[in-house]
Amino acid sequence: MNIVYAILVLSILGAIFAVILAVASIVFAVKTDPRLPEIVDALPGANCGGCGYAGCSDCAGHILDGSAPVNACPVGGAASAEKIAAIMGVESSSAEKEVAFVRCNGGTAAKKRFEYRGVLDCVSATKVAAGPLECGFGCLGFGSCVTACQFDAMHIAPNGCAVVDPVKCTDCMACATACPRKLIISVPVSKKVHVACINQDKGKVAMSVCANSCIGCGLCEKECKKDAIHVTNNVAAIDYAKCINCKMCTKVCPRDCILPIATPEEKEKYKAVKKAQADKAKAAAEAAAAAQTATPAPNA
């Protein structure tokens, strides 16, 4: 009989607790916006952190509450942005795609203070006397950015510098986070002209540490008709909002630090055009002066 009573009491208690839990689940239920899982599904699921949030779910939550735009995910690009915009009932942004760019073309052209024999990692290399390069701004070439890239868009070029494959790059900027020299920035994919140097030392010092360093001479700034390149802190920088990819700055750069590097033929052609223009201007000035001399003075 005691067993029966025990079973009966337990059954009653179980029923009471079940009712309490059922009521609690209703009262304290956390309502989830049905759009959240849809937004998560519209994201690529890379969880790379390129959006600045802790993974795709966190990014989706911020998009849902309005603290992040529908195109917050650089990996998903326009396709994800359009899907999310449709879910949110807003218009997607038509902003141009951007890709990473490494602001250095030194590599083997940069002088070394010593041969590094440690862990093949840029961060580790900087721990040894601030790195093996004479240039304190240049790419170390040990591939921390390559390791960080989940999309096979970063490689070490034959000259020892990191380069970006713009076709594969998703602009997640994991490479920029991994670079101890902070060389990597995001640039519009349509822009083809870039200054591949951030050495802020004065000309003589910059010249002594790397054959490809910017020396702040200002020739590029003088040549640009669109006011799209300026020398600041002894190094040239491009205003991508103004740059039209004319590449004239590349033809006057004496250090070949502006990409794409002009060929010798392009530079010779540029010099010939400039000479012809100067000769024409000189001839016009001489003709004007001769005409002025030949004009008789008016009668008093």
Side-chain angles (χ1 to χ4, degrees), residues 232-255:
T232 306
N233 295 326
N234 302 312
V235 65
I238 292 176
D239 181 344
Y240 291 105
K242 296 179 179 179
C243 180
I244 60 170
N245 292 328
C246 71
K247 304 178 185 178
M248 295 305 293
C249 55
T250 69
K251 296 176 175 61
V252 298
C253 178
R255 305 288 292 173

Side-chain angles (χ1 to χ4, degrees), residues 99-158:
V99 294
F101 172 72
V102 183
R103 295 177 293 171
C104 181
N105 191 37
T108 53
K111 293 182 180 179
K112 291 185 178 181
R113 294 186 293 137
F114 59 87
E115 285 295 330
Y116 175 70
R117 299 297 185 190
V119 178
L120 296 182
D121 173 81
C122 298
V123 176
S124 299
T126 59
K127 304 299 182 183
V128 182
L133 297 181
E134 290 280 1
C135 177
F137 301 87
C139 176
L140 295 163
F142 294 116
S144 291
C145 55
V146 176
T147 302
C149 181
Q150 300 182 37
F151 306 97
D152 191 36
M154 294 289 302
H155 298 89
I156 301 300

